[in-house]
Amino acid sequence: MTGRADLSSVLITVNEREREFAVPTDTTLLGFLRDYCELRGTKSGCEIGYCGACTVLLDGQPVHACCLLAAQCHGRTVETIEGVAGGDASIQRDFADADAAQCGVCIPGFIMSGIFVRRSAPDPGLGREEFAREVLLGNICRCGNYSRIVQAVLGPEE
Ligand code: FES
Ligand code: FES
């Protein structure tokens, strides 16, 4: 049983809403989102930083939520798949149009990485697709749907 001494109060702004809970000190950001905020769109896969199913944006940067303690994110800003709206929402249509999802487990994580790609200026010397592929290295699709996922992240040709 967890005693009070093992709890810490953590406040994180999740999808523009402040969420504060007293959580066991070993609670990961993934656990904070799924178990306390009840935001289960962020998936739990390997829980060792390998698969990227748990990818969210922390202060705008893609991170594996299973590898961070919630306490490390105190006072910071997190975006999850549930908060995708406005201009970012078009990426969800592009995933559907590209038929990018098979089982779909990896897709929320890929979309969050994809939003980072779309918001970023590519590193100098890297083409847009090369930059996207580099960012997406943090995500694994067990169904092997990579070419369609990359196509979805890049969006329709202009
Ligand atoms: S569940 Fe976090 S990287 Fe796999
Ligand atoms: S669509 Fe099944 S793991 Fe990616």
Side-chain angles (χ1 to χ4, degrees):
M1 195 122 170
T2 304
R4 293 281 312 166
D6 296 321
L7 298 178
S8 62
S9 180
V10 174
L11 185 153
I12 302 174
T13 301
V14 182
N15 300 331
E16 300 186 345
R17 179 178 164 201
E18 287 191 350
R19 309 301 303 269
E20 185 169 23
F21 299 99
V23 301
T25 50
D26 61 355
T27 301
T28 62
L29 175 58
L30 180 60
F32 185 91
L33 294 170
R34 287 180 58 87
D35 301 336
Y36 291 86
C37 300
E38 298 186 346
L39 295 171
R40 302 209 170 89
T42 301
K43 301 303 179 202
S44 173
C46 65
E47 297 198 359
I48 54 169
Y50 181 67
C51 72
C54 63
T55 302
V56 297
L57 301 182
L58 176 65
D59 295 334
Q61 300 291 315
V63 296
H64 292 161
C66 68
C67 290
L68 286 167
L69 292 173
Q72 291 176 281
C73 305
H74 179 72
R76 301 174 73 181
T77 296
V78 168
E79 295 167 77
T80 74
I81 191 70
E82 289 88 350
V84 174
D88 290 328
S90 65
I91 195 171
Q92 294 177 306
R93 279 195 303 277
D94 293 336
F95 267 71
D97 290 347
D99 214 5
Q102 289 189 26
C103 79
V105 167
C106 67
I107 298 299
F110 269 106
I111 287 179
M112 299 316 294
S113 293
I115 288 171
F116 173 76
V117 169
R118 289 188 176 195
R119 289 180 187 170
S120 305
D123 291 347
L126 280 187
R128 193 161 163 264
E129 180 171 344
E130 210 177 348
F131 174 68
R133 287 183 181 278
E134 194 159 280
V135 172
L136 298 177
L137 284 176
N139 299 78
I140 286 177
C141 174
R142 289 183 184 84
C143 300
N145 220 13
Y146 291 107
S147 54
R148 289 181 182 183
I149 289 170
V150 171
Q151 184 191 329
V153 167
L154 294 176
E157 306 227 346
E158 289 157 28

